[in-house]
Amino acid sequence: MKLQRKNRLRATALGALAVSGALVLTACGSDDNSAGGTAGTGEKTTAASDVDCGKAKGQLRASGSSAQKNAMDLWVKNYMAACSGVEINYNSSSSGEGIVAFNQGTVAFAGSDSALKPEEVADSKKMCKTGQGINLPMVGGPVAIGFKLEGVDKLTLDAPTLAKIFDSKIKKWNDPAIAKLNEGVDLPDKAIQAFHRSEDSGTTQNLGKYLGAAAPDDWKYEAEKKWPAPGGQAASGSSGVAAQVQQVDGSIGYFELSYAKSQSIPTVDINTGGAAPVQATSENASKAIAAAKVKGTGKDLALDLDYTTKAEGAYPLVLVTYEVVCDSGNKPETLDTVKSFLSYAASDDGQKILTDAGYAPIPAEINAKVRETIGTLS
C-alpha cells in the first residue's frame, strides 16, 4: 500500500510538471535550482522547502509584466510540482494589459513594472469591493541595454548618449559622443537601429524614469508606459525586442537581463559618473535597489528608486516588478491560492532562484514587509 501511494504521488508531481511545461518557455538556465519531489497534500512538501500549499486549489489566472516572465515560469514550475490540484496560468503580456485585466476582475493578480497610478487605484476599488489594489514588490533586476554590432562585443554608454540614441538624435555608431566613451574601440560607420516596445510597458516607463532623471537635458518626455519618442522600430514584449536585437546587426534595445543571458546578447556598461562604468548584473542591480525607500502608504509597498546613483558598482537602470492584489476584497475562490503562491514567490527559496535567472532578489528588509502583507490579504 505504501508503495502504491508513493507511485500515485510521484505521478501527480509529474503531471503538474507536464502542465507547467507549457508555461516554462524561456527560463534562463536556472531550472537546476528547482527541486523535483512529491506532490503536495496541503502541507509543506519536499518539492521546494518554502512551499506551503495550505488550502490552495483549482486554477489561478494572472497576467501582466513580461519583465518577470522568466521568474514567474520558475515559480510556477516549482509551485505546481509541490501543490497537487493547483494550476497557475500567468499570461505574459505587458504591465498595462495586466492592470486592465486586474481592474476588470478577469485575473486574481497582475504583474506590473511600475506602481499603480492614482486613477488605477481608484478603478481597483470597484473590483476589490471592500479594499483597493496594492503593490507588492516581488522581482528586481537591471534593465539591460542589449546591442548587436559586428566586431564590437564591449560597449560603454552614458545616460545622455542613450537618450539621444533612443530619441533618434544620434544615428551612427561612430558618432563622436559614442566614440568618446569607447576609446580604442573600432566603431563602424553603421546606422543605429533602435528597438522599443510596441505596447504599454512598465519596462519602457522605467527606462523613461532613468533617462529623465539622469539626462534631463536630453530626454524631455514624461515617463509613461507608452513609447514617447519618434523614430525607432517597435517589437512586442521584452522577448520581441530581444529577438530583434539578437538578429539585426547595428541594433540596440532594452529588456530585462534574463533575456540577454538566455540569448547571449552583449549588454552596455553604463557610465554613471562614478569611478568606473557599471555592468548590468544582478549583483549590481541589487546595490541600487537596496537604497530604495517605501513610498506607499498602508499596505501598499511601492518603492522610490534612485536612478541617478553614482555609488560604486550600483547599476542605475533598474526596475522592480510588483504583484498587484487587493488588500481586501479578493475573490474567496482564489484568495487561498493567491496567498500561498505569492508567499512562495517571496520566500527564501523563491527569491534565491532569481539571481541565476538574471534578476535581483528584493532586499531582505523590504521583502519581510511583503511577506507580512501577503499574510493579511483578505
Side-chain angles (χ1 to χ4, degrees), residues 30 257 261 282-283 286 351-361:
S30 54
L257 181 62
K261 291 182 67 174
S282 296
E283 180 183 6
S286 291
Q351 292 290 300
K352 184 170 60 179
I353 64 175
L354 295 179
T355 302
D356 287 344
Y359 296 100

Side-chain angles (χ1 to χ4, degrees), residues 133-219:
I134 58 172
N135 305 282
L136 301 178
M138 201 71 71
V139 184
V143 178
I145 305 296
F147 68 96
K148 182 174 184 178
L149 191 58
E150 187 176 351
V152 178
D153 56 11
K154 187 172 180 60
L155 190 68
T156 296
L157 297 173
D158 58 13
T161 306
L162 282 169
K164 293 171 186 174
I165 288 173
F166 282 112
D167 198 19
S168 301
K169 299 291 177 59
I170 292 179
K171 301 178 183 294
K172 291 288 190 76
W173 278 110
N174 62 347
D175 186 276
I178 300 177
K180 184 177 180 181
L181 292 165
N182 294 273
E183 294 182 7
V185 178
D186 186 13
L187 296 166
D189 182 16
K190 183 184 289 291
I192 296 174
Q193 298 193 56
F195 286 90
H196 59 263
R197 292 282 289 273
S198 59
E199 74 286 1
D200 287 2
S201 160
T203 311
T204 293
Q205 188 171 38
N206 278 275
L207 175 64
K209 289 178 179 178
Y210 164 70
L211 294 176
D217 293 336
D218 299 294
W219 191 257

Side-chain angles (χ1 to χ4, degrees), residues 118-131:
E119 58 269 28
E120 292 170 336
V121 173
D123 285 343
S124 74
K125 294 179 180 180
K126 303 171 187 175
M127 195 278 292
C128 295
K129 306 296 185 185
T130 60

